[in-house]
Amino acid sequence: MNPSAAPEPVGSAPSSSPASASAWALLDAFVAAGVSDVVVCPGSRSQALALAAAELAASGRIALHVRIDERVAGFLALGLGVETDRPAVVITTSGTATANLHPAVLEAHHSRVPLIVLTADRPAEAHGIRANQTTKQDDLYGFAARLAVVVEAPTGDAGEQDAARDLAQRAYLAATDVLDPGPVHLNLAFREPLSGSFDPVVAEAVSDVLDETDATTEAPLYPGRPHLVLERGPRTLVVAGHHAGPAAEQLAADGGWPLIAEVSSGSRFGRNVIAAYRELLREEDYREAVERVVVFGHPTLSREVPLLLQQPQVETIVVAPAGAEVYNPGRRADRIVSSVAVEAGPADRAWLGAWVVGSRERVVDPSPAAPDLDGLHSTTPAERLASVRAELDAVRLPVTREVLVDAVWRATWPHDRLVVGASRLIRVADGLVPGRKISVHANRGLAGIDGTIATATGVALASQADGGPGVTRVLLGDLAFLHDVGALLLDDGVAPRLQVIVGNDGGGTIFDALEVAQSAPGALFDRVQYTPQHVRLESLATAYGWEYRSARTRTELDQAFTAPVTGPVLIEVPLPRA
């Protein structure tokens, strides 16, 4: 991004601009197709697109979000798409600005989130001569783009605006393809004058037509993936990875089978959830007893699940109604199907019960114990004093990772949103928190730490649009926070109800669990893996205009979550490394 770069001299102001006319036609058609959010990064070459977006926002037809960092902008658009299931449009200038969108484009591809990327470019004659801010941008995102189109610079010829509108509808349909939604890339060349006056023509809305078409069409099946009815006999586990959805929980309930549901699966509710599945799968009695596994979504939070799926005695059935790529460790899946059901008959209660009881025995509830009311009301001074001291000691205990994730989970309600970063905390939550029907998201397509705050901001802005209720909380570690600290810079006057909760253990303690931590010299490991940091988060909050809170005890944590949230809040929770 280079907002200071000036366009080439073009003489006097033009009376008309092919760049502006084509940019308007394209964005107006996107809005007619169903786009409601546009994210703009400032730049020279993209000015016609940016100004058209500003006009659409001024007329109330879109929500406009302006960001100076393209990587932040890309993940903001991703978060908007996650919450709305519609593609947000993100606009950049040419050059390195386009490359900074690549992480979000890759995440959108692997998570199948609709996204439309518009990159401005220099015209053909500026390529190959080392013109400023000019690089090869066509097919920049390669395999990740569902559609990639290079558009030559408009000249004002008849039919250009109609072509732009047709392209917008084609791009929208590609991004929202029900079998494989994802990112679309339009690389748009512009010549000087880069903007100017024109006569805008407003397109008729076509989103109702598109929605009606989708509603009257039966849910499509990915080619070659049938529906399967499961017999009840084999001892079965249901595994719900990221974005599995409620179908996994429904199958587990219908079959009476244990449910392994990751925190961002959308399936972690109901009575069959097994929180301590990793511990149980490490035990031979449980692991060897499994005869069949039915997998939904994209499991990413354990080594035990992919190892189980590669055991020779385990029949693996993968449910994948959409997407060209299928989760299939070792390429050992016996069946890949679009949907499943279970035949009628009695459930194996002993099988489910063994897993439920085993999980309960291994999960330690980190929530505070109930007060000793008898002791507090005792007529014996010593007993009463001892109970008071015990209560004071309990509320003063430092926060652990388990206490933190438990408090966040309990504070989040169905009308809220929770976004969890790719930090150690998501694995702690996955092995601890009970089933609860709340909206949880994590960027697990590639499980990178980048863009977590920006994604959560997009989720917050979309869920709270038009007066939507609730708070969006993002739970992440200190390195994931610092990696996306630029996302703290928000639009003037736009303050989503957003709590960024940072478990600060001074570095990447997630790597402490790797084998290398036991074999590498401590000082070298700390420098290149743990990467200690001593940033003052309160100063960052002040610099970006965020409210700041520190929570060192469970009481302070509960107070932070029960306080009214009217804007962005940074909550720092110091944690021990070990």
Side-chain angles (χ1 to χ4, degrees):
M1 190 276 295
N2 187 1
S4 63
E8 290 88 342
V10 295
S12 59
S15 58
S16 64
S17 168
S20 290
S22 289
W24 170 268
L26 184 72
L27 288 180
D28 179 63
F30 273 132
V31 175
V35 168
S36 58
D37 292 86
V38 177
V39 185
V40 167
C41 299
S44 173
R45 189 61 48 174
S46 56
Q47 62 186 264
L49 292 165
L51 292 171
E55 288 285 350
L56 289 166
S59 63
R61 297 180 61 200
I62 62 166
L64 177 64
H65 316 276
V66 180
R67 295 295 186 272
I68 63 171
D69 184 323
E70 286 83 11
R71 188 175 67 183
V72 169
F75 279 101
L76 175 67
L78 179 83
L80 291 163
V82 164
E83 179 63 26
T84 64
D85 287 326
R86 296 192 304 272
V89 170
V90 58
I91 295 169
T92 77
T93 189
S94 62
T96 58
T98 62
N100 285 319
L101 293 178
H102 210 153
V105 170
L106 287 174
E107 178 62 31
H109 161 65
H110 287 283
S111 288
R112 297 203 294 269
V113 176
L115 175 69
I116 296 172
V117 172
L118 307 183
T119 57
D121 200 357
R122 300 289 173 120
E125 61 269 19
H127 285 262
I129 59 172
R130 303 198 71 181
N132 188 36
Q133 285 187 276
T134 304
T135 189
K136 181 177 169 56
Q137 295 176 194
D138 52 305
D139 200 32
L140 181 64
Y141 308 115
F143 66 89
R146 301 297 185 270
L147 173 70
V149 179
V150 175
V151 181
E152 295 299 325
T155 60
D157 291 345
E160 283 182 343
Q161 294 183 48
D162 289 338
R165 294 183 186 281
D166 291 342
L167 178 59
Q169 290 193 30
R170 179 183 167 202
Y172 187 90
L173 290 173
T176 57
D177 186 323
V178 291
L179 287 179
D180 199 19
V184 164
H185 176 210
L186 305 185
N187 190 62
L188 308 166
F190 294 107
R191 289 190 183 90
E192 293 74 12
L194 296 177
S195 63
S197 60
F198 68 101
D199 295 324
V201 177
V202 178
E204 294 183 5
V206 296
S207 58
D208 291 341
V209 176
L210 295 175
D211 291 343
E212 184 177 314
T213 301
D214 292 341
T216 56
T217 303
E218 291 186 5
L221 304 179
Y222 205 88
R225 298 178 192 167
H227 175 74
L228 179 64
V229 177
L230 300 171
E231 70 277 12
R232 286 190 170 271
R235 292 188 293 269
T236 302
L237 284 182
V238 179
V239 173
H242 174 63
H243 208 241
E249 191 279 334
Q250 186 65 57
L251 180 69
D254 292 344
W257 294 322
L259 173 63
I260 294 172
E262 294 185 349
V263 289
S264 64
S265 64
S267 317
R268 199 175 180 111
F269 59 94
R271 299 179 177 180
N272 297 18
V273 172
I274 308 300
Y277 68 91
R278 280 177 287 180
E279 291 88 339
L280 295 177
L281 288 177
R282 293 186 200 117
E283 299 181 20
E284 185 176 350
D285 288 346
Y286 283 91
R287 183 179 63 253
E288 296 297 326
V290 178
E291 296 175 334
R292 182 173 62 189
V293 180
V294 184
V295 183
F296 294 76
H298 182 200
T300 65
L301 291 177
S302 76
R303 296 182 179 183
E304 290 77 15
V305 165
L307 288 175
L308 175 66
L309 300 183
Q310 297 177 70
Q311 297 300 307
Q313 83 279 6
V314 174
E315 178 189 7
T316 299
I317 298 168
V318 176
V319 183
E325 293 184 353
V326 174
Y327 180 77
N328 188 7
R331 304 182 187 276
R332 296 283 299 275
D334 295 278
R335 299 285 298 273
I336 298 174
V337 300
S338 63
S339 57
V340 289
V342 60
E343 66 181 8
D348 186 347
R349 295 187 178 182
W351 172 246
L352 174 61
W355 284 81
V356 171
V357 171
S359 181
R360 288 175 180 170
E361 291 174 346
R362 289 159 179 79
V363 174
V364 178
D365 187 355
S367 58
D372 179 9
L373 297 180
D374 290 339
L376 292 173
H377 293 94
S378 173
T379 57
T380 304
E383 291 181 0
R384 188 166 62 250
L385 181 59
S387 297
V388 170
R389 285 176 175 171
E391 286 301 304
L392 289 175
D393 289 342
V395 300
R396 291 169 179 169
L397 282 175
V399 175
T400 63
R401 292 177 185 84
E402 291 75 16
V403 167
L404 174 56
V405 299
D406 177 71
V408 172
W409 195 255
R410 291 174 183 271
T412 304
W413 294 92
H415 59 274
D416 296 324
R417 302 291 184 271
L418 176 60
V419 179
V420 190
S423 304
R424 183 174 175 179
L425 292 168
I426 193 172
R427 285 174 169 79
V428 173
D430 192 54
L432 174 69
V433 297
R436 195 172 196 189
K437 201 167 187 179
I438 56 178
S439 179
V440 183
H441 176 70
N443 286 338
R444 302 306 299 177
L446 289 180
I449 68 171
D450 43 350
T452 311
I453 302 172
T455 300
T457 303
V459 169
L461 290 168
S463 63
Q464 296 166 23
D466 301 322
V471 174
T472 297
R473 297 183 177 89
V474 51
L475 176 65
L476 72 174
D478 50 288
L479 296 189
F481 169 79
L482 293 172
H483 201 280
D484 199 28
V485 72
L488 298 180
L489 183 60
L490 304 173
D491 273 355
D492 286 344
V494 179
R497 297 184 300 277
L498 178 64
Q499 289 181 328
V500 173
I501 305 150
V502 184
N504 190 355
D505 51 23
T509 62
I510 191 172
F511 298 112
D512 288 344
L514 299 179
E515 292 84 350
V516 66
Q518 308 303 319
S519 60
L524 300 183
F525 174 85
D526 277 5
R527 185 178 185 192
V528 300
Q529 295 290 145
Y530 175 61
T531 55
Q533 58 80 23
H534 306 284
V535 177
R536 296 179 180 177
L537 271 58
E538 182 175 7
S539 298
L540 285 174
T542 300
Y544 284 99
W546 283 51
E547 180 184 346
Y548 172 85
R549 288 175 174 266
S550 177
R552 297 178 178 273
T553 67
R554 178 62 188 250
T555 298
E556 292 175 344
L557 202 57
D558 290 339
Q559 290 172 346
F561 292 149
T562 55
V565 181
T566 58
V569 183
L570 174 61
I571 302 173
E572 181 180 6
V573 184
L575 296 172
R577 176 175 181 179

